[in-house]
Amino acid sequence: MVTAGVGAGGALAVGADEAPASPARNPAPGGPPAEQFHGTHQSGIATPQQRYAYFAAFDLEVGDPKGKRLSTERIATNFQHLMERWSGAAERLMRGRPAGPLPVNRPGAPADSGVADGLPPSRLTLTFGLGPELFDTIGRQEQRPRHLRELPAFSTDQLQPAWSGGQLFVQICGDDPQSISHAFRALRGRAPGLARLRWSQQGFLGRFGDATPRNLFGHKDGTANPRAGTAAFDDAVWVSGPDEPSWFTGGTYLVFRKIRMDLPKWDTSTALQQDQSIGRRRDTGAPLSGGHEFTPPDFGRTGPDGEPVIPPDSHLALVRDIPMLRRSYNYDYAFQARAEPAGEHDHHGADRPGHSHDDPLHDHAGTGHDTYDTGVLFCAYLRDPGDFIRAQQKMAAADRLNAFIQHTGSAIFAIPRAVQPGRHLAAALFPQR
Amino acid sequence: MVTAGVGAGGALAVGADEAPASPARNPAPGGPPAEQFHGTHQSGIATPQQRYAYFAAFDLEVGDPKGKRLSTERIATNFQHLMERWSGAAERLMRGRPAGPLPVNRPGAPADSGVADGLPPSRLTLTFGLGPELFDTIGRQEQRPRHLRELPAFSTDQLQPAWSGGQLFVQICGDDPQSISHAFRALRGRAPGLARLRWSQQGFLGRFGDATPRNLFGHKDGTANPRAGTAAFDDAVWVSGPDEPSWFTGGTYLVFRKIRMDLPKWDTSTALQQDQSIGRRRDTGAPLSGGHEFTPPDFGRTGPDGEPVIPPDSHLALVRDIPMLRRSYNYDYAFQARAEPAGEHDHHGADRPGHSHDDPLHDHAGTGHDTYDTGVLFCAYLRDPGDFIRAQQKMAAADRLNAFIQHTGSAIFAIPRAVQPGRHLAAALFPQR
C-alpha cells in the first residue's frame, strides 16, 4: 500500500530537506519563541489564542486530468503525499523558515514566495484535520473516529454548501497576517493534483491581553473555557481510551460553524434585550445573577417579578456545563463575502429578512454588494461532538440569540495527534506491514 | 443654505457631545498615544503606516424613501449632516472613546457596540475623501479641486464597476483590526438615509518594524517614498498655492487602485524574471545595478550582453522620480471576494485567463469559489494626480509587471485638510454668508 516513493518522500519531507537553494530567512530578533510542530498534540489548540486565523477546507482529487476516476488505493497514496508535503512545510514555516520549493516549480523559480522574509514566526501554528468523507475516499472506513459524522441538521440552520464540509482542514493561526498569508500560499501551492480548495475563512481577535476577548456583539466570549494545562482541559479536549481507534489517541474533534450576526438588528435592540439574550452583562461579563465575570451563574435567582434573572432561554442557560474549548474568531467581511451560489443569492437577495432597502443599516448602491457578512467563526475543540450536538439542539429550539444569528456554514473534523520528527501527520492510518 | 439644524448639529457633533449615557471605555494602559483628529492635515497620511486598513466608498442618497429625487440643496444639507456625524464619531473613536449613539437608535439601545471596550486606540486613524461626482451632486462644481476627475482608461485596465468610484471615501487604519471593525460599524451606522455603501476593501502589512514592508510578490514596496517631515514629502503630498480652490489648501489627492496579483503565475516564474520585472533584487531590495536598497539605480549600467542591467521596461525604470507617497496594503481574500456582478462573473468565470482548471494553483471544488483574489490595495497620496496618470500610461504601455497584475478597481478622491475643534470636515465648502 505504501509506495517506495511515499516512504522516501516521507523521510525527506519532514524537517530534512532544508531546501538548499533557499536563503535562510532572517527573523527579526526578539518576540516569543516559535511554536512546535512536533510533539504529542497538534499546536493551535492548547496554544494561547493568536490574533489572526485563516481556515481552509480541501477535498481530495478523485479524478485524473482527463476526468477518469482514480482508484481508492491511488487516492490514498495521494493523500499520504499531501500529508508529507504539508507536514514538512508546516514544520519549516512554524520555525520561520522558507517553506521550500513548490512541487510544480520550474527550474530557476525561487524556493519560497519571500513574503515573510524578515518576519519572525509570530507564534504561527498550522493545525490539520480530517473530515468524515475522507475515510471513505481513502478506503479507511474502519479507522474512522467513532463520532466523526456530518452534524445533524438543526432547525435554525441556514447553511450554504459553499461554506460547509470538506475532507481536509487547515487552521493557520498567528499574530501576523502576512505570515499567515505566506503559510496558506505555501500549503495551497502543494495541493494541485492532489486536492482542491473547498472554502476559506479569515478571522481576528482584538488585542485584549489577559482579558477575555469580545465578539462583535460586544460580549466577552470564552469565559467558561477550561484552562490549558488543567485536568478539566485534558478531559474536555483530548481523545483517549478504548472507544476510539488507537491512531486517534491524543487527537480531538473540531466543530466549525460560520455564524453570521445580524448586527443592524442587534445595534437597534435595547441593552436589556441584548444582555438577556446572552444571560450576562455586556460591560463586565458577569452573569445577570450578579458577581463578576467568573462568578458561577445562579439560575435559581429570581427578580422582583418572580422570573429568573437569567432567562431560561438565554444563551448562558442553554449552553452551560458543556465540556469543550471554544477557540473562535470574529470576522468582518463587509461586502466581500459572496460565496453563496449566484442562483441562491439572486433568489433570496433583497427578500431575505433584514436585507430590505428600508433596513437602516442594510444599504446598497446598486453594485451587487448586498450581503453584510460579519459574525463569528465558531471553533469548538472537544472529545465528544455529541456534547455540541445536544447543546445546539437545545439552542435551536429556544435560544433568544436565534433572533440575531444565522448559522451559514458547518463542518466537523478529526484532528489527529501530532507526530515525531520523521513522520507525517496521520501516518498512523497506514501502519507499515 | 446652512440650516439652523445643521449649524447646531455641527457645534454639537465635533467633540462636544460625549454621549452622556455611554460608559467611558477603559483603554488598557500603555501603548502609543492616540493619533489626533484635529489639526492641519488629516491623519492617516503622514502617520507611520499602521498594520491594518479598511477602505470604503459611499454614495450620497439622491432619492427619498419613495424614490422621488431630492433637491440639490437638500442633498448638500444631507452631506453636511453626514460630515458632522462622521467628524464627531471619528474624533471620539481616535481617542478610544465610544462613538456615541446611532442616529437610528431606539430608546434603551446601547450608545456603542462595545466591541472595542478595553482596547486602546492602537493608532487608529480615520481619513475622509470626496470623489469627483460629489461636487456635481451637492451643487459645488465651482469648488471642485482642479485635478479631481475620474482617471482616464488605461489600456491594461480590467476594472469592475463594483470595485470602482465613489462620492465619499473613508480610510480606517490602525494596529488592531477589532478597533477598525468597530470604527467602520460606527461610521456605517451613521450613513442610512444620507449615503449608501458602494464598496469596501481590507488590507494588512506584516510587522516589518523599521524595514520597508514586502508585498505579496515578496518585494519591498515603498523604498522610494519621501520621509514625513521633509520638504520633499510636503512638496509631493500637500496641496498649496493659487491654482487650487482655497478650501483645498492643506489637502491632497488619493489615487486608489485594487491590483490583483496573479500569484500562481508569479510563483512559477523564475527568480530572474521576477527581479527583472521589478528592476530590483527581491532579497535586499537593491536595484539590479548594484548597491543596497537605498542606492540610486544606475539605469545606464549594462551587463556582459551590452543590455541595461535594469531593463527599461522594468517597473523601477518606468515609475522613477514620481513625487508621491505610496501607502499601500496587501490583501488576501482567498475565495471571499465575489463582488463582480453575478452576470459578469458567470460570463468570465472559467474562461478568464489564468483561471482554468489546468492551472495548478487555481483549483476549484465545485462550490462557486473560482476567483483567487490576492494582491495590493495601491494608495498614492500626491499633490498632482497627473503624475500618477503619466506613470500609469507608461506602465500600461510597457511594464513587464503587466504579465502578473490586473487593475480591477480604481478611484480618486480629494482629501480635505483637517479641521479645528468645533468644525466638521469639508465645512469650508459651505462658507457662512
Side-chain angles (χ1 to χ4, degrees):
Chain A
M1 177 61 70
V2 178
T3 69
V6 171
L12 279 174
V14 184
D17 63 332
E18 200 64 58
S22 65
R25 274 172 51 195
N26 192 16
E35 299 294 325
Q36 298 299 310
F37 177 74
H38 295 123
T40 304
H41 308 297
Q42 285 196 66
S43 57
I45 302 168
T47 309
Q49 205 166 354
Q50 301 99 323
R51 298 187 55 217
Y52 306 94
Y54 205 133
F55 303 96
F58 292 77
D59 291 322
L60 288 174
E61 291 280 9
V62 295
D64 71 11
K66 291 177 179 162
K68 183 159 170 276
R69 175 87 190 187
L70 300 174
S71 70
T72 299
E73 190 162 319
R74 173 64 188 278
I75 297 171
T77 303
N78 283 351
F79 165 71
Q80 293 174 80
H81 271 301
L82 185 59
M83 289 297 104
E84 287 169 7
R85 290 179 182 175
W86 279 358
S87 296
E91 191 274 338
R92 293 188 288 274
L93 288 163
M94 285 176 56
R95 284 193 289 127
R97 308 287 298 176
L102 289 177
V104 295
N105 258 14
R106 304 210 179 108
D112 186 87
S113 65
V115 304
D117 280 11
L119 294 180
S122 296
R123 303 200 300 131
L124 184 74
T125 56
L126 291 91
T127 313
F128 298 87
L130 312 175
E133 191 185 289
L134 176 88
F135 292 83
D136 301 310
T137 307
I138 64 171
R140 285 291 180 283
Q141 293 91 340
E142 78 282 6
Q143 298 292 342
R144 189 201 317 269
R146 185 178 164 211
H147 302 290
L148 188 66
R149 11 176 207 276
E150 297 297 346
L151 296 171
F154 303 103
S155 60
T156 50
D157 279 353
Q158 301 191 42
L159 303 183
Q160 299 284 347
W163 295 131
S164 298
Q167 295 183 353
L168 296 164
F169 171 77
V170 184
Q171 170 193 283
I172 310 175
C173 292
D175 290 330
D176 191 318
Q178 185 138 341
S179 303
I180 289 172
S181 177
H182 173 248
F184 177 69
R185 185 166 161 190
L187 294 184
R188 189 157 183 274
R190 284 162 171 74
L194 305 179
R196 289 172 180 234
L197 187 59
R198 184 181 176 90
W199 54 256
S200 66
Q201 301 284 336
Q202 294 175 55
F204 61 83
L205 284 184
R207 196 183 303 175
F208 287 97
D210 293 332
T212 307
R214 291 183 186 274
N215 62 25
L216 296 187
F217 285 147
H219 275 263
K220 293 170 182 273
D221 199 339
T223 297
N225 265 344
R227 306 274 151 180
T230 64
F233 183 99
D234 292 347
D235 286 349
V237 174
W238 304 124
V239 164
S240 63
D243 57 341
E244 290 278 16
S246 63
W247 73 270
F248 192 43
T249 299
T252 183
Y253 293 94
L254 170 65
V255 172
F256 185 93
R257 305 282 285 185
K258 177 173 190 283
I259 304 177
R260 185 176 293 164
M261 293 173 165
D262 190 340
L263 296 183
K265 186 173 182 182
W266 181 264
D267 283 343
T268 50
S269 62
T270 70
L272 183 65
Q273 286 171 325
Q274 293 178 9
D275 286 359
Q276 287 187 336
S277 295
I278 302 290
R280 295 181 177 275
R281 290 173 57 113
R282 191 183 84 181
D283 52 357
T284 62
L288 293 181
S289 50
H292 57 73
E293 181 186 351
F294 298 104
T295 303
D298 178 359
F299 296 103
R301 184 165 169 198
T302 52
D305 58 358
E307 297 295 319
V309 292
I310 302 175
D313 55 353
S314 67
H315 192 66
L316 176 62
L318 290 167
V319 301
R320 53 177 152 154
D321 299 331
I322 296 172
M324 64 181 176
L325 172 69
R326 304 208 297 194
R327 202 175 190 281
S328 304
Y329 283 87
N330 302 322
Y331 75 92
D332 177 356
Y333 301 154
F335 284 118
Q336 293 168 15
R338 293 292 302 278
E340 284 88 341
E344 287 273 327
H345 184 78
D346 292 345
H347 183 64
H348 292 299
D351 298 331
R352 200 181 296 155
H355 286 75
S356 80
H357 276 260
D358 294 336
D359 192 319
L361 295 189
H362 280 117
D363 43 4
H364 314 215
T367 55
H369 301 281
D370 54 356
T371 301
Y372 185 36
D373 196 7
T374 304
V376 63
L377 304 172
F378 172 91
C379 297
Y381 285 98
L382 73 179
R383 175 206 295 254
D384 182 0
D387 289 330
F388 170 84
I389 292 167
R390 285 182 285 278
Q392 183 60 24
Q393 282 165 339
K394 283 199 290 179
M395 287 165 54
D399 196 328
R400 288 191 189 202
L401 266 189
N402 292 336
F404 301 104
I405 61 177
Q406 297 175 358
H407 287 244
T408 59
S410 180
I412 183 170
F413 301 99
I415 310 293
R417 65 170 176 252
V419 289
Q420 298 301 316
R423 298 278 282 175
H424 63 77
L425 281 169
L429 273 174
F430 299 90
Q432 305 279 345
R433 277 174 278 190
Chain B
M1 178 60 71
V2 178
T3 69
V6 170
L12 280 174
V14 185
D17 64 332
E18 201 63 57
S22 65
R25 274 172 50 195
N26 193 16
E35 299 295 325
Q36 298 299 309
F37 177 74
H38 296 123
T40 303
H41 307 298
Q42 285 197 65
S43 58
I45 302 168
T47 309
Q49 204 167 355
Q50 301 99 322
R51 298 188 55 218
Y52 307 93
Y54 204 133
F55 304 96
F58 292 78
D59 291 323
L60 288 174
E61 291 280 9
V62 294
D64 71 10
K66 291 175 178 162
K68 184 160 168 278
R69 175 88 190 186
L70 300 176
S71 70
T72 299
E73 190 164 317
R74 173 63 189 279
I75 296 171
T77 303
N78 283 351
F79 166 70
Q80 293 174 80
H81 271 301
L82 185 59
M83 287 298 103
E84 286 169 7
R85 291 179 182 174
W86 279 358
S87 296
E91 190 276 335
R92 293 188 288 274
L93 288 163
M94 285 176 57
R95 283 193 290 129
R97 308 286 298 175
L102 289 176
V104 296
N105 258 14
R106 302 209 180 110
D112 186 89
S113 66
V115 304
D117 280 10
L119 294 180
S122 295
R123 304 200 300 131
L124 184 74
T125 56
L126 291 93
T127 312
F128 298 87
L130 312 175
E133 190 184 290
L134 176 88
F135 292 83
D136 301 310
T137 307
I138 64 172
R140 285 292 178 283
Q141 293 90 340
E142 78 281 7
Q143 298 292 342
R144 190 201 318 269
R146 185 177 163 209
H147 302 290
L148 187 67
R149 9 176 209 278
E150 297 297 344
L151 296 171
F154 302 104
S155 62
T156 49
D157 280 353
Q158 301 191 40
L159 304 183
Q160 298 284 346
W163 295 130
S164 298
Q167 296 183 352
L168 296 163
F169 171 77
V170 185
Q171 170 192 283
I172 310 175
C173 292
D175 290 330
D176 191 318
Q178 185 137 339
S179 303
I180 290 172
S181 177
H182 173 248
F184 177 68
R185 184 166 160 191
L187 294 184
R188 188 157 183 274
R190 283 161 172 75
L194 305 180
R196 288 171 182 237
L197 186 59
R198 184 179 176 91
W199 53 257
S200 65
Q201 301 283 337
Q202 294 174 55
F204 61 83
L205 284 184
R207 196 182 303 176
F208 287 98
D210 293 332
T212 307
R214 290 183 186 275
N215 62 26
L216 297 187
F217 285 147
H219 274 263
K220 293 170 182 273
D221 199 339
T223 296
N225 265 344
R227 306 272 152 182
T230 64
F233 183 99
D234 292 346
D235 285 349
V237 175
W238 304 123
V239 165
S240 63
D243 56 341
E244 289 278 18
S246 63
W247 73 269
F248 192 43
T249 298
T252 182
Y253 293 93
L254 169 65
V255 172
F256 184 94
R257 305 281 285 185
K258 178 174 190 284
I259 304 176
R260 185 177 293 164
M261 293 173 164
D262 190 340
L263 296 183
K265 186 172 181 181
W266 181 264
D267 283 342
T268 51
S269 62
T270 70
L272 182 65
Q273 286 171 326
Q274 293 178 10
D275 286 0
Q276 288 187 335
S277 295
I278 302 291
R280 294 182 178 275
R281 289 174 56 113
R282 192 183 83 181
D283 52 357
T284 62
L288 294 181
S289 49
H292 57 74
E293 181 186 352
F294 298 104
T295 304
D298 177 359
F299 296 104
R301 184 165 171 196
T302 53
D305 59 359
E307 298 295 320
V309 292
I310 302 176
D313 55 353
S314 67
H315 192 66
L316 175 61
L318 290 167
V319 301
R320 55 177 151 152
D321 299 332
I322 297 171
M324 64 180 177
L325 171 69
R326 304 208 298 194
R327 202 175 191 281
S328 305
Y329 283 86
N330 302 322
Y331 76 92
D332 177 355
Y333 301 154
F335 284 119
Q336 293 169 15
R338 293 292 301 278
E340 284 88 342
E344 286 273 327
H345 183 78
D346 292 345
H347 183 64
H348 292 297
D351 298 331
R352 199 180 299 155
H355 286 76
S356 81
H357 277 261
D358 293 336
D359 192 319
L361 295 190
H362 281 118
D363 42 6
H364 313 216
T367 56
H369 301 279
D370 54 358
T371 301
Y372 184 36
D373 197 7
T374 303
V376 63
L377 304 171
F378 172 90
C379 298
Y381 284 98
L382 73 179
R383 176 206 294 256
D384 182 0
D387 289 329
F388 169 84
I389 292 167
R390 285 182 285 278
Q392 182 61 23
Q393 282 165 340
K394 283 199 290 180
M395 287 164 54
D399 196 327
R400 288 191 189 202
L401 266 189
N402 292 336
F404 300 103
I405 61 177
Q406 296 175 358
H407 287 245
T408 59
S410 180
I412 183 171
F413 302 99
I415 310 293
R417 65 172 176 251
V419 290
Q420 298 301 316
R423 298 278 282 175
H424 62 79
L425 281 168
L429 273 174
F430 299 89
Q432 303 281 344
R433 276 175 279 190

